[in-house]
């Protein structure tokens, strides 16, 4: 077992290195880098890459440096480290990442770690509650659908689940805002933010109420489209177990139907669901939802990643990519190991 874990850990190194090499190489050819962004700001124009003005691209090519002294441009290049060859910058970046130093943001003037910590509360709020609600709804609903397979309940809930799955989360968010946040109907929930402005001055019970009052709509929008896959997977897994011979044997021996379902079927049917917990948790927890965060004005990791790409804030782009890729690789290993922990019959290694 330990040899298998060691092999998987060693394989993470070339995988992580390959992802960083590809991303770093692509970045070198993207126009409108941080130097051009800063020059454009000095010119008083718009940011590079869009709109009208001296920074915009045109038939004559990129013109973001026109009108600025060449010496000043060279100072900016040195400030951002672009005066050195690309391979030197890449090796230096790898050295920092090996020490878990993600660098410093060009535009926020903060450590990338500090930026990620600032945005984590929003991602934790959206990810944690979405994860809990999705599984708390999906597993009981999937079991109920399997037990009542073919009935009107099964057909109706399938229609509702697939309807929710077919509507994108941001569309559901718009509908919820219109209906319940002061659109054309009622204003029961706030339009933006994860807490009120005076949250720090509120007593603890009021803080808790205010927090849940703010996250109700964004979490609802994410949950409504998120539990369809788990529900259908749970239903099919339970149905597969119910049809196996050991269930028929247990019933023939006179075991109560409730005991057959919860002591035998449930335990085996939950194996594929439980082994997906690590990946699902990390995926919902860290990925974030750019459109939901933008729609409800929530400053989370999704919005940070998007703004970093637009502004060519390469330390944030590469640092967050490194961190999330590493977490994803470790999660994949935990998922594979969980198969063995949940079901000892599964063997991935000698």
């Amino acid at each position: 077992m330990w040899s298998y874990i060691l092999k998987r850990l060693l394989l993470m190194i070339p995988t992580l290195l390959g992802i960083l090499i590809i991303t770093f190489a692509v970045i070198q050819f993207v126009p409108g880098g941080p130097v051009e962004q800063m020059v454009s700001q000095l010119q008083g124009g718009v940011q590079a890459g869009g709109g009208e003005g001296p920074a915009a691209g045109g038939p004559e090519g990129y013109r973001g440096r026109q009108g600025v002294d060449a010496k000043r441009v060279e100072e900016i290049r040195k400030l951002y480290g672009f005066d050195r060859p690309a391979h030197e910058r890449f090796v230096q970046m790898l050295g920092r990442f090996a020490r878990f130093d993600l660098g410093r943001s060009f535009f926020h003037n903060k450590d990338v770690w500090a930026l990620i910590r600032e945005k984590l509360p929003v991602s934790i709020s959206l990810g944690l509650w979405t994860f809990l609600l999705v599984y708390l709804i999906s597993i009981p609903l999937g079991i109920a659908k399997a037990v009542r397979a073919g009935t009107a309940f099964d057909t109706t809930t399938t229609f509702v689940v697939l309807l929710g799955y077919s509507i994108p989360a941001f569309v559901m968010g718009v509908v919820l805002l219109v209906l319940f946040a002061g659109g054309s109907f009622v204003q029961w929930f706030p339009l933006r933010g994860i807490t009120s402005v005076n949250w720090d001055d509120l007593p603890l019970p009021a803080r808790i109420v205010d927090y849940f009052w703010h996250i109700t709509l964004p979490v609802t929008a994410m949950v409504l489209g998120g539990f369809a896959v788990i529900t259908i997977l749970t239903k099919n897994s339970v149905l597969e177990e119910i049809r196996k011979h050991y269930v028929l044997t247990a019933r023939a021996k006179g075991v109560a139907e409730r005991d057959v379902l919860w002591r035998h079927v449930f335990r085996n049917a939950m194996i594929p669901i439980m082994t997906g917990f690590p990946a699902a948790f990390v995926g919902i927890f860290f990925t974030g939802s750019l459109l939901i965060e933008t729609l409800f004005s929530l400053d989370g990791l999704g919005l940070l990643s998007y703004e970093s790409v637009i502004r060519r804030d390469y330390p944030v782009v590469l640092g967050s990519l490194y961190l999330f890729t590493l977490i994803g690789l470790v999660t994949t290993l935990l998922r594979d190991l969980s198969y063995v922990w949940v079901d000892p019959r599964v063997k991935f290694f000698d």
Side-chain angles (χ1 to χ4, degrees), residues 307-323:
E307 290 178 345
S308 300
V309 172
I310 295 299
R311 303 181 69 176
R312 310 295 194 267
D313 199 346
Y314 296 150
V316 178
V317 174
L318 292 168
S320 57
L321 174 68
Y322 167 76
L323 178 62

Side-chain angles (χ1 to χ4, degrees), residues 112-254:
V112 176
W113 275 115
L115 280 174
I116 292 176
R117 286 196 298 268
E118 286 180 7
K119 313 302 181 182
L120 267 180
V122 171
S123 296
I124 289 174
S125 298
L126 293 178
L128 180 61
W129 295 114
T130 300
F131 174 82
L132 291 176
L133 290 175
V134 163
Y135 276 88
L136 288 176
I137 294 172
S138 299
I139 292 178
L141 180 59
I143 295 173
K145 287 173 62 61
V147 173
R148 299 172 176 83
T151 64
F153 172 82
D154 182 31
T155 304
T156 303
T157 53
T158 298
F159 174 77
V160 174
V161 165
L162 295 180
L163 179 64
Y165 181 72
S166 64
I167 301 176
F170 74 92
V171 174
M172 186 63 67
V174 172
V175 173
L176 293 175
L177 283 175
V178 171
L179 294 178
F180 303 112
S184 304
F185 297 89
V186 298
Q187 188 171 2
W188 292 346
F189 299 96
L191 281 170
R192 59 181 60 88
I194 197 169
T195 55
S196 299
V197 177
N198 63 335
W199 189 80
D200 292 331
D201 301 327
L202 299 175
L204 181 59
R207 287 186 183 186
I208 296 174
V209 172
D210 182 78
Y211 167 74
F212 283 105
W213 182 49
H214 278 78
I215 68 170
T216 296
L217 292 186
V219 170
T220 301
M222 295 179 67
V223 167
L224 288 177
F227 62 86
V229 175
I230 306 299
T231 300
I232 301 301
L233 178 61
T234 302
K235 174 191 172 182
N236 293 338
S237 183
V238 172
L239 281 177
E240 183 180 358
E241 293 298 322
I242 287 177
R243 295 165 181 161
K244 290 185 176 179
H245 292 295
Y246 75 88
V247 175
L248 297 177
T249 302
R251 287 171 174 170
K253 290 182 177 180

Side-chain angles (χ1 to χ4, degrees), residues 248-320:
L248 297 177
T249 302
R251 287 171 174 170
K253 290 182 177 180
V255 179
E257 190 66 24
R258 184 181 183 86
D259 291 338
V260 171
L261 178 62
W262 295 107
R263 294 181 60 183
H264 300 283
V265 173
F266 179 77
R267 179 179 179 181
N268 292 321
M270 288 302 102
I271 290 176
I273 309 299
M274 294 176 63
T275 52
F277 274 13
F281 181 74
V282 173
I284 296 176
F285 199 83
F286 286 100
T287 303
S289 177
L290 169 62
L291 295 175
I292 291 296
E293 290 178 10
T294 304
L295 186 63
F296 290 93
S297 300
L298 302 173
D299 192 10
L301 292 175
L303 193 58
L304 173 66
S305 301
Y306 173 75
E307 290 178 345
S308 300
V309 172
I310 295 299
R311 303 181 69 176
R312 310 295 194 267
D313 199 346
Y314 296 150
V316 178
V317 174
L318 292 168
S320 57

